[in-house]
Amino acid sequence: TDLTAAGPFTVFAPTNPAFAQYLGDTGKTFDEFKADKDALAALLKYHVVSGKTMASGITAAAEVDTLFTGNKLTLDKAATGGVTVNGYAVATVDVLAGNGVIHVVDTVLAPGVSAPTTTVAPTTAAAAEANGCAAATMAAAAAALVVRLA
């Protein structure tokens, strides 16, 4: 499955600051990063799973296949009631989109990298908007880019 299909999809969208941090950690500019279309497509597809997974549907640890073939994300319910992906707290849950749902994460996810579970409580899409979160915009751009790269 790829993003040319009708969906639905679940996107774990990093915030713009998280992506800026990722670029800083890799020592690349955005132009350098997007020039490597294979690496960019792999990273973006790693943030997307088939199906519409709402936070309320995550009740225990489960591995889900990503669109980056052969790679999985681990979803779990945190003790605080929030949701984690690969051990990272999901900052904003259940941002509905026309072809699925977006969950905002404060990190760029990478295969084989996990973090300790944190105690961040989930926020709503309205709270994310109030905080200036641009992840929904980034998710839409990422989805369009993955379609063009596929």
Side-chain angles (χ1 to χ4, degrees), residues 28-131:
K28 293 183 179 181
T29 66
F30 182 69
D31 288 337
E32 291 169 331
F33 183 69
K34 74 179 183 179
D36 186 349
K37 294 197 185 306
D38 291 338
L40 180 58
L43 185 70
L44 294 174
K45 288 179 179 181
Y46 186 67
H47 287 77
V48 182
V49 299
S50 291
K52 185 175 178 181
T53 304
M54 303 299 287
S56 61
I58 302 169
T59 58
E63 286 191 337
V64 294
D65 291 322
T66 70
L67 295 189
F68 181 34
T69 305
N71 289 274
K72 297 179 180 294
L73 295 175
T74 301
L75 308 181
D76 202 358
K77 185 68 107 182
T80 60
V83 174
T84 64
V85 57
N86 288 3
Y88 292 97
V90 175
T92 304
V93 299
D94 300 339
V95 179
L96 297 177
N99 65 343
V101 64
I102 300 165
H103 301 292
V104 180
V105 293
D106 291 329
T107 192
V108 173
L109 303 168
V113 178
S114 294
T117 302
T118 60
T119 57
V120 174
T123 61
T124 64
E129 184 66 30
N131 291 328

